[in-house]
Amino acid sequence: MPVRIPLVSGLTALAALLLSLPGAALSVETELINVDAADQTTQPSSKREPDPIPPLAAPVSDAESMQRVPDDLLQRVGLQLVLDRQHRQLLVLHDGVLTRRFPAAVGTVGWETPAGRFRVMQKVKKPVWTHPVNGKKLGPEDATNPLGSRWIGFYRDCKGREGWDGEQYLDIDGCTVAGFHGTPYRWTVGRAVSHGCVRLYEENVQEIFEMVRVGTPVTVLP
């Protein structure tokens, strides 16, 4: 049965223009997790102009990256993912040692990627994105599929969300999830532009997909 994943990845102004699907919800065809469908409405923007596109994160060294990792995570055995929202990068640690670093796009202001400690809860190869209104599907063969070729979910809540997302006002009523996924818009990686999800370069998300399993620890640093 299909799983609806509302707003796992926000569209920036350019992406929305290219897709003509502003504020759309996302759906992945899988039977792993049943996420309730959410109602989504937009409020008048009062002619508010879109926010400027956020800048790229400044580059940092391996040593600077590790300074933000909590000490107890350095003592953890095995593979773990640590997302640093501040530096907009994903760290791969094994037995507390940094093995890989990947640039990442994270949630924009007001739609930040949830901070905390989680675990991989879902892996989907070749996810399908479904328009929530007209039901149009974009598969992995479509170059404009916002999810790219891989989806790795790690967060779910049913609190609903509302507010200005940089382009428009959104009111989401229902369950939403967040995860790592690819993107056809490489220029967004390294910026704070999504509705909470983590965009990675295609080659990077495919590499991570093969590394992790359901249950792999994920820590998101504020």
Side-chain angles (χ1 to χ4, degrees):
M1 66 190 307
V3 174
R4 176 157 293 174
I5 303 180
L7 287 175
V8 296
S9 175
L11 298 177
T12 60
L14 178 59
L17 176 63
L18 292 174
L19 287 176
S20 297
L21 299 176
L26 302 177
S27 146
V28 174
E29 298 294 332
T30 178
E31 297 183 4
L32 296 180
I33 297 178
N34 183 14
V35 179
D36 297 334
D39 294 328
Q40 174 188 315
T41 60
T42 58
Q43 300 175 1
S45 62
S46 300
K47 298 182 180 180
R48 176 173 174 176
E49 293 296 321
D51 295 342
I53 296 175
L56 286 168
V60 294
S61 66
D62 285 356
E64 290 173 304
S65 299
M66 292 299 289
Q67 286 178 357
R68 299 202 69 229
V69 178
D71 290 340
D72 66 299
L73 296 187
L74 302 179
Q75 307 304 316
R76 179 177 284 174
V77 176
L79 181 74
Q80 60 178 308
L81 303 180
V82 179
L83 176 68
D84 184 345
R85 293 192 331 197
Q86 179 177 318
H87 292 138
R88 297 198 279 283
Q89 62 179 350
L90 178 63
L91 312 180
V92 180
L93 276 61
H94 192 274
D95 294 341
V97 177
L98 178 65
T99 61
R100 301 284 276 130
R101 284 199 296 149
F102 301 103
V106 299
T108 190
V109 175
W111 299 82
E112 291 85 357
T113 302
R117 300 194 179 191
F118 316 103
R119 290 185 180 272
V120 171
M121 57 190 298
Q122 184 185 32
K123 293 177 59 181
V124 180
K125 185 180 291 187
K126 298 182 179 180
V128 175
W129 185 91
T130 303
H131 190 288
V133 177
N134 60 28
K136 180 181 178 181
K137 297 180 183 296
L138 295 180
E141 71 286 348
D142 193 309
T144 61
N145 183 341
L147 292 179
S149 67
R150 301 290 189 274
W151 164 259
I152 306 169
F154 63 83
Y155 175 85
R156 174 181 186 266
D157 74 50
C158 296
K159 301 174 183 177
R161 300 189 69 179
E162 62 179 309
W164 174 255
D165 75 343
E167 297 174 357
Q168 61 190 316
Y169 288 97
L170 296 175
D171 186 354
I172 310 302
D173 180 18
C175 298
T176 61
V177 300
F180 307 101
H181 64 83
T183 177
Y185 306 107
R186 295 178 66 88
W187 66 272
T188 66
V189 175
R191 305 176 192 269
V193 293
S194 81
H195 285 107
C197 269
V198 184
R199 301 179 190 177
L200 302 167
Y201 292 134
E202 274 298 321
E203 61 270 24
N204 294 161
V205 76
Q206 291 178 20
E207 180 179 348
I208 295 167
F209 191 90
E210 298 303 320
M211 290 181 187
V212 303
R213 58 178 177 80
V214 172
T216 295
V218 176
T219 299
V220 180
L221 304 177

